[in-house]
Amino acid sequence: MQRNMLRRPITCALVTGVSLSLSACGGGSSSNMPPPAPATMAVTISDASSDDWACVGVRVLSIALVPVGGGSPVTVWSAPTPAPYVNLEQLDQLGEILGNASVPVGDYSGAILTIAANPGDVLLTVASDPQSGFPLPAGTGVPAGDIQIQGGQGAAGNLTVAVHIDFDAPLVVSAGTSNALDLEFDLADPAFIVGHTPPTADGTTLWAVNFEGPVRRLRVPDITRLVLRHTYGTVTGVRSAALTITKDFPVLPVTNPETAIASAPALTIDADSANGTIVYDLDAGSRSVVNNFGGESALNGKYVRVAARYQEDGTLVAVRVWASNQFAKVWLSPEGHVLHVDSSNDVIMVADEDGRGVPVTVNAATQFFFRTPYSVIADATPIATGTGFLASQELVRGFKVHVSAVDPLAVPMVADTIDIETAAYGGHISNVSGAGFTYTSQYFIANDNYSVGLGYIAASLANGFDDNGSPINGFKWWDFTFPTTVTFGNDAIASFAAAAGGAVNFGGTVGALPAWGESVATWGDGGSHASGWYVRDAVLVPTPLPLGTVSTAFATNTFAIIVPGGAVPVTVDVGTTMGSATLVYQIDRANRVITVSPIDITTPAGLAAITAGLIDGAPVKVFGVPQAPVAPATTGTLRAYVIVYYTGTMPSM
């Protein structure tokens, strides 16, 4: 299986929470001073996903902003009771809209994310095809007693984790502009979900969930480029210009038939007056294109699923709307990652919320869309129709899609439309040139593998912004743990080729391990090619290594590791420079309790801890990028991104 432990670390946004609860800004202001004027802000969270999990469900209770200079935190979202689960695994580079919060104008230095931490408040379900050697069978739901949420505070039954996130630069909320906050859960971070299987025969795998560290703020310089997940709701008002809905959340774990958890705040979603909004009536089996909702009064009171986009002023516009009197009908269209593509029989398998694979037939009439909210026409125009899209490997395992069926209740399900929300390729990198490179996947099921050559986008195509807010054009790349250090411009392709050309050689049955990467692709290169996938970016992710043992103890910022099946050890280089240091975690297990402790190796105490932990024979997990050997060496080295070492009860994998 393709080992994407650190998969898709490029994300857009997901909005969560459910009821707006605005509190006053405090901190030294006179009681006679008027409160700051409010501004509209999109509050979002996001994630980078992992192939091992189908469901990582969390209950977000509230999100608050911390004013610069102190003062009372400003709560911008609060959950209803009971708080719904949000499946982070489904939010791969996507945004689930809740709406726009009213936030006092001002500068904010951080955020406080409050998460429920009682037994059962985190759901873990194993993917249908986890990596080889994963300690649990495919589709297994992890018992609540085997999940340990780190850092819980409070009385039993009311445990919470308050995650404090310091922004690298203040969030400036101003009136008259589109403001957005995006907090990212990085499921791919090795310290987020840590499994520990002791070597004893009766040992149970325990899973530690650690929210401190793997959650950070991502900047949103252009709200129109947020790719939004389809949102569910109940229509409470129909005007010519817009629908008003209240947000609905599906129940997790999934019920049969699936039901909705209603929330209080209203969302206003405009019709696309210029290009038209497509409305699907799932009860009548009809489809229409409307420039306003004046003739759609029958939508009032119905459940809807909406594909929407943000405009520059922060308003929402509907691209497509699905409606039914039954929530199960609008929900019962699989949304998730593509698990298998059978081009011989024109069937794809898509993971649902519970991680089960749902077979979907593609026929000659199936339309494929690629979500491009910043390009109105492209967002509503199919990029392909019919089965040839599968045969040409234009849809592969790992893409994130949302399927709409001709009949949601039919068996087999036949796809009417397939929204490609994320086109992600990844695997071994080879054949790097000035024109492109090749990704070769390595999944456990051979039929899922592909070897695809991809070109770069045109140098003139807009591709995000740098840390100073200046636009980036053309291809860009970065290392997994340094998403703020982006290489772009004239030298980006040449420097990427040099960085991706390394390999380490353990010999034996392991052999040479090349560089791995992940890329988000776009349809057309933005230049002379209007169709086909082209890579916007590449992220060098750690080459997958099994649990190894230290063969040469840590000293002078290096140590050596040997892995099962390898004949020779490989040197691991550890960075200790402030701001770019290797991330190090110590995992302790004693009496069925796991503790995850970050080690700051830029300090003397941290160096002492890693020196004491990485001794000869110690079990260690290394995540790093291969570096080409420098003569006379022949094995190459690993530049470590993340190191996890163990104390107490030793793991067996």
Side-chain angles (χ1 to χ4, degrees), residues 275-292:
N275 306 286
T277 295
I278 303 173
V279 178
Y280 302 88
D281 187 327
L282 298 179
D283 297 327
S286 63
R287 174 187 182 275
S288 59
V289 180
V290 302
N291 295 93
N292 62 71

Side-chain angles (χ1 to χ4, degrees), residues 56 88 256 340 387 460 514 620:
V56 179
L88 298 177
N256 187 18
H340 308 293
T387 59
S460 59
V620 63

Side-chain angles (χ1 to χ4, degrees), residues 54-290:
C55 177
V56 179
V58 300
R59 282 177 160 153
V60 178
L61 302 180
S62 66
I63 301 172
L65 292 176
V66 178
V68 169
S72 300
V74 177
T75 302
V76 294
W77 292 109
S78 294
T81 303
Y85 289 99
V86 175
N87 183 3
L88 298 177
E89 181 60 35
Q90 288 282 29
L91 306 169
D92 180 10
Q93 304 182 62
L94 299 179
E96 181 173 332
I97 321 161
L98 180 60
N100 297 331
S102 182
V103 180
V105 166
D107 296 351
Y108 297 91
S109 61
I112 302 173
L113 192 64
T114 303
I115 301 168
N118 302 289
D121 281 339
V122 170
L123 303 177
L124 296 178
T125 303
V126 181
S128 64
D129 187 13
Q131 63 174 313
S132 179
F134 196 75
L136 295 177
T140 300
V142 179
D146 293 342
I147 301 173
Q148 299 183 0
I149 304 170
Q150 304 290 293
Q153 300 290 324
N158 293 292
L159 293 170
T160 61
V161 174
V163 182
H164 294 260
I165 303 157
D166 294 325
F167 299 160
D168 55 356
L171 171 66
V172 179
V173 177
S174 55
T177 62
S178 59
N179 306 285
L181 169 68
D182 180 14
L183 302 179
E184 179 195 48
F185 287 84
D186 190 356
L187 272 64
D189 191 302
F192 190 4
I193 302 174
V194 178
H196 191 296
T197 305
T200 55
D202 60 348
T204 300
T205 300
L206 300 180
W207 299 91
V209 180
N210 172 42
F211 292 107
E212 288 290 346
V215 185
R216 60 185 178 225
R217 173 203 173 195
L218 294 181
R219 299 190 185 188
V220 183
D222 185 355
I223 198 172
T224 67
R225 291 182 176 269
L226 294 182
V227 180
L228 301 172
R229 188 188 186 197
H230 292 188
T231 192
Y232 299 92
T234 302
V235 178
T236 58
V238 180
R239 294 182 289 109
S240 177
L243 296 178
T244 302
I245 70 171
T246 53
K247 173 75 177 177
D248 293 329
F249 287 88
V251 172
L252 291 179
V254 173
T255 59
N256 187 18
E258 178 63 328
T259 54
I261 298 175
S263 61
L267 278 174
T268 299
I269 305 179
D270 295 347
D272 189 333
S273 59
N275 306 286
T277 295
I278 303 173
V279 178
Y280 302 88
D281 187 327
L282 298 179
D283 297 327
S286 63
R287 174 187 182 275
S288 59
V289 180
V290 302

Side-chain angles (χ1 to χ4, degrees), residues 553-572:
F554 178 82
T556 62
N557 295 347
T558 66
F559 67 98
I561 181 177
I562 189 74
V563 299
V568 294
V570 165
T571 298
V572 179

Side-chain angles (χ1 to χ4, degrees), residues 241-587:
L243 296 178
T244 302
I245 70 171
T246 53
K247 173 75 177 177
D248 293 329
F249 287 88
V251 172
L252 291 179
V254 173
T255 59
N256 187 18
E258 178 63 328
T259 54
I261 298 175
S263 61
L267 278 174
T268 299
I269 305 179
D270 295 347
D272 189 333
S273 59
N275 306 286
T277 295
I278 303 173
V279 178
Y280 302 88
D281 187 327
L282 298 179
D283 297 327
S286 63
R287 174 187 182 275
S288 59
V289 180
V290 302
N291 295 93
N292 62 71
F293 293 121
E296 304 300 317
S297 59
L299 292 176
N300 202 29
K302 287 193 173 185
Y303 293 106
V304 291
R305 172 163 55 90
V306 183
R309 56 181 170 81
Y310 272 116
Q311 298 197 111
E312 290 183 4
D313 61 0
T315 58
L316 289 165
V317 172
V319 180
R320 292 187 295 285
V321 177
W322 293 262
S324 174
N325 289 315
Q326 303 174 53
F327 180 76
K329 269 194 175 182
V330 298
W331 179 83
L332 193 58
S333 291
E335 176 192 9
H337 292 100
V338 175
L339 301 175
H340 308 293
V341 177
D342 181 354
S343 58
S344 298
N345 296 299
D346 299 324
V347 174
I348 66 173
M349 192 76 73
V350 180
D352 66 9
E353 289 275 4
D354 278 349
R356 294 187 297 261
V358 178
V360 178
T361 297
V362 173
N363 64 17
T366 301
Q367 292 184 318
F368 295 86
F369 292 82
F370 177 56
R371 293 306 315 276
T372 51
Y374 52 88
S375 176
V376 177
I377 299 299
D379 201 29
T381 303
I383 61 174
T385 301
T387 59
F389 200 70
L390 305 185
S392 59
Q393 288 194 321
E394 304 287 11
L395 183 76
V396 300
R397 176 171 174 166
F399 276 32
K400 176 68 169 57
V401 301
H402 200 143
V403 176
S404 293
V406 175
D407 179 357
L409 303 180
V411 179
M413 184 180 290
V414 178
D416 181 29
T417 63
I418 296 177
D419 273 12
I420 300 172
E421 297 170 320
T422 306
Y425 286 94
H428 298 165
I429 297 173
S430 62
N431 304 323
V432 187
S433 70
F437 59 95
T438 298
Y439 272 132
T440 302
S441 66
Q442 195 175 30
Y443 288 108
F444 187 67
I445 298 176
N447 288 341
D448 293 332
N449 285 329
Y450 55 82
S451 185
V452 176
L454 298 165
Y456 306 107
I457 59 172
S460 59
L461 185 64
N463 197 16
F465 299 83
D466 65 15
D467 285 349
N468 297 318
S470 300
I472 294 174
N473 292 325
F475 174 76
K476 61 187 178 183
W477 72 275
W478 63 92
D479 288 333
F480 164 71
T481 54
F482 305 107
T484 58
T485 307
V486 180
T487 301
F488 59 93
N490 294 333
D491 297 329
I493 292 175
S495 63
F496 171 73
V504 292
N505 195 341
F506 283 94
T509 59
V510 177
L513 301 177
W516 281 52
E518 298 291 341
S519 288
V520 167
T522 190
W523 189 252
D525 69 347
S528 59
H529 300 93
S531 62
W533 295 114
Y534 291 83
V535 291
R536 285 186 169 274
D537 44 50
V539 186
L540 288 182
V541 301
T543 292
L545 297 178
L547 180 72
T549 55
V550 176
S551 59
T552 301
F554 178 82
T556 62
N557 295 347
T558 66
F559 67 98
I561 181 177
I562 189 74
V563 299
V568 294
V570 165
T571 298
V572 179
D573 293 324
V574 180
T576 58
T577 302
M578 181 76 71
S580 61
T582 300
L583 301 176
V584 179
Y585 296 90
Q586 177 177 305
I587 310 297

